[in-house]
Each structure stands twice: as structure tokens, then as C-alpha cells.
Amino acid sequence: MLLHNHSFPHLLLLYLQTPETCVPPGTPHKPHLRFPRSSCDTSPREHVPIEKKNKRLWSTKIWKKTVGSYIEFFQAIQDLGLLNNDSKVLCVSAGAGHEVMALTEMGVLDVTGVELVESSPRVSRADPHNLQFFDDVFDLAFSGHLAEALFPSRFASEIERTVRWWGVFACS
Ligand SMILES: *[C@@H]1O[C@H](CO)[C@@H](O)[C@H](O)[C@H]1NC(C)=O
């Protein structure tokens, strides 16, 4: 579905078929593990270097499957002629970085992922209501969160300021 809205950058509302991609950012990938750990939790925490943690995470089936479904999704955008390897793309509320990895694997050279919580190395910390970018720097932006994308108006105006095309993942 393609929507045009005069008070907003060109808005693409697209449907992802895979329900796994519709988890909120920061949702643990292993739901049986307790999350978040409270500050009163005194049990020892395993210290794993970030590179090792990432390697582990990126080799899981669920991670690969989710990245695969984002690749399919972005290929559809490519087919619309809105995305190519030289596009500057912003992923807002990028979570652990699935969509950033998907775009990178497709060959898109300039991908920026932001989220309230950093997820090194693909997603950096940013407040979506106050993006630290200059005006009109991005060709395309995506968010997995329709509600955030449309409200509140501050969020919308930040997107309007920095982006030409704006896409929203919705789950079918
Ligand atoms: C985009 O990059 C990918 C990966 O490097 C490459 O396979 C593909 O041919 C590139 N597309 C274009 C149109 O250059």
C-alpha cells in the first residue's frame, strides 16, 4: 500500500509477513530468560565481550530468519525504485539491528540505525524525538513502529525534517 500525506514526508505503509519481526525493540531473543534484570538482582552476570555476543546472536536461526524477511521487504522497496545501493537510509527504533544488517547485506552502503538503547556496532543511541541529524540528509527512513511513526507530532516533525521518503513496517 502506498500512501501520500501532505503533512508528512511521502509515507510508505508496508506489510511484513513474518510475525517474528513485529516484536518491540529490546525484547529478549530468548523469552524464557528474565528481562530486564533488576538492579537488585545479585546473581553473577556472565561477562561476554560484545563481539562474541554479537557473533552468537547473529548466528541464531531466529536472527537469520528475521534478517531474511527484512531483505525480502527491502527488495520490494527496491522494486518500487525507491531504494538502491547509494541511498542514504535511516532506521529509527532499529532494535538490535536486523534491518540495518539486511540493508547492508543487500549492498546499501550508507545505513544508519538508531534506537533509545545502543546496540553496537550497527545501532547507535538516539532519541527519535530529537534526531541528531541535519535537514534532508536521508533519502529513506524506516521504523517498525507505526504508532511512534505517526504520533506524537514531534516525532513526525523530526522525520519530516531529516527524510524525503518514510516507510513504516506494519505486521499482517
Ligand atoms: C548493490 O550491491 C550488491 C552487493 O555488493 C551487488 O551485488 C549489487 O549488484 C549492487 N547493485 C547495483 C545496482 O549496483
Side-chain angles (χ1 to χ4, degrees), residues 126-143:
D127 179 358
H129 300 107
N130 190 14
L131 297 173
Q132 70 275 46
F133 305 112
F134 296 117
D135 297 359
D136 294 321
V137 282
F138 296 105
D139 300 311
L140 272 170
F142 291 96
S143 173

Side-chain angles (χ1 to χ4, degrees), residues 17-169:
Q17 300 300 325
T18 334
E20 289 94 321
T21 56
C22 296
V23 293
T27 300
H29 296 280
K30 292 178 180 164
H32 59 282
L33 296 178
R34 286 181 302 143
F35 186 86
R37 297 172 76 109
S38 83
S39 51
C40 314
D41 190 344
T42 53
S43 57
R45 198 185 298 215
E46 189 194 4
H47 183 78
V48 183
I50 187 88
E51 295 82 19
K52 200 166 164 196
K53 227 187 256 177
N54 281 339
K55 218 169 145 188
R56 239 187 241 172
L57 174 65
W58 297 339
S59 63
T60 59
K61 226 185 238 172
I62 179 75
W63 178 276
K64 287 180 181 168
K65 192 171 171 209
T66 306
V67 169
S69 65
Y70 275 114
I71 288 178
E72 267 175 45
F73 168 83
F74 287 124
Q75 264 157 1
I77 312 251
Q78 217 168 32
D79 293 344
L80 289 172
L82 297 173
L83 172 69
N84 59 54
N85 288 358
D86 299 318
S87 301
K88 285 177 73 80
V89 185
L90 172 68
C91 299
V92 182
S93 303
H98 295 96
E99 53 262 65
V100 178
M101 187 185 269
L103 287 160
T104 305
E105 282 187 7
M106 287 169 67
V108 179
L109 299 168
D110 193 338
V111 186
T112 304
V114 295
E115 176 60 84
L116 285 169
V117 181
E118 174 179 305
S119 221
S120 175
R122 290 196 163 79
V123 179
S124 46
R125 214 188 80 82
D127 179 358
H129 300 107
N130 190 14
L131 297 173
Q132 70 275 46
F133 305 112
F134 296 117
D135 297 359
D136 294 321
V137 282
F138 296 105
D139 300 311
L140 272 170
F142 291 96
S143 173
H145 307 280
L146 183 58
E148 261 175 55
L150 298 176
F151 312 99
S153 57
R154 178 63 198 272
F155 181 81
S157 68
E158 278 301 89
I159 294 300
E160 191 169 34
R161 183 175 71 75
T162 52
V163 173
R164 292 197 292 138
W165 274 94
W166 174 239
V168 176
F169 305 126

